[in-house]
Amino acid sequence: LSWLTGCRTDGARLIAAKHAAKRAKSLGLETKAIAAQQAKIKAELAAAAKKAAEEKAARERALRNRGYEPGVTDPREIARQILKNKFGYGSSQFDCFNNIIMRESKWDINATNPSSGAYGIPQALPGSKMATEGSDWRTNPATQIIWGIKYMKGRYGSPCGAWGFKSANGWY
């Protein structure tokens, strides 16, 4: 009888061992699946971080090259950012620049003086002078703004210098 009990115990142990092996194999497969999923998530996170870094670098390049954030469309905000980021000017220079532009074109990119033919936001005469800043001078406010700031800086030292001259003479 003890032999029979021993057989049953051995048989139960054998069955238990087989179930344990099967469960271990199943757990091993689950562990591999979990590890694969974790690796996939890590790769996706790394790709997202890389994309975010590339987008940040592109924005920084745009700021260095053009002076304003990509996607900005309001000419006043473009000018504010360009004055700061490209020329190092503060808000007082923007105020002077704005005073001139409001009297010249009211920020209208297509403004044309009917008597002189001066064109665009800074009222360049002739408007084609702005091509020195880009072939898109007819349609891009940033190109016109950069040209206008450079003109004011070169001729009057700064937008406030240009505003002082315009205030005294009626033109700049």
Side-chain angles (χ1 to χ4, degrees):
L1 193 63
S2 67
W3 175 82
L4 185 58
T5 305
C7 286
R8 285 186 185 160
T9 305
D10 288 342
R13 284 186 187 144
L14 182 60
I15 291 171
K18 285 182 180 180
H19 283 294
K22 189 175 180 180
R23 182 69 182 141
K25 183 177 179 182
S26 176
L27 287 173
L29 293 175
E30 288 177 15
T31 301
K32 286 181 183 177
I34 290 169
Q37 187 65 24
Q38 286 176 330
K40 182 181 175 186
I41 291 169
K42 283 181 184 178
E44 289 171 353
L45 288 172
K50 181 179 178 185
K51 183 178 178 183
E54 289 169 353
E55 289 171 354
K56 181 180 178 189
R59 281 192 306 277
E60 289 172 355
R61 276 192 307 277
L63 277 174
R64 280 193 309 278
N65 295 336
R66 294 298 287 170
Y68 66 100
E69 286 278 343
V72 175
T73 58
D74 176 43
R76 285 180 184 89
E77 184 56 28
I78 291 171
R80 188 183 284 36
Q81 289 184 24
I82 288 172
L83 283 160
K84 178 183 175 197
N85 298 325
K86 197 168 182 71
F87 294 92
Y89 289 136
S91 61
S92 63
Q93 292 294 330
F94 172 79
D95 293 340
C96 294
F97 188 76
N98 184 56
N99 286 338
I100 292 170
I101 300 307
M102 285 303 295
R103 286 159 182 80
E104 293 292 322
S105 68
K106 294 183 177 46
W107 293 97
D108 180 358
I109 191 170
N110 299 307
T112 304
N113 184 311
S115 56
S116 71
Y119 183 81
I121 291 171
Q123 289 292 280
L125 184 60
S128 60
K129 283 183 179 182
M130 293 185 286
T132 59
E133 292 306 317
S135 60
D136 60 353
W137 63 271
R138 287 179 189 88
T139 58
N140 188 340
T143 301
Q144 293 183 8
I145 290 164
I146 291 168
W147 183 88
I149 295 167
K150 285 184 175 180
Y151 173 78
M152 291 176 198
K153 183 177 180 185
R155 185 161 179 135
Y156 304 102
S158 69
C160 285
W163 173 239
F165 184 87
K166 181 168 178 56
S167 296
N169 300 286
W171 59 277
Y172 85 109

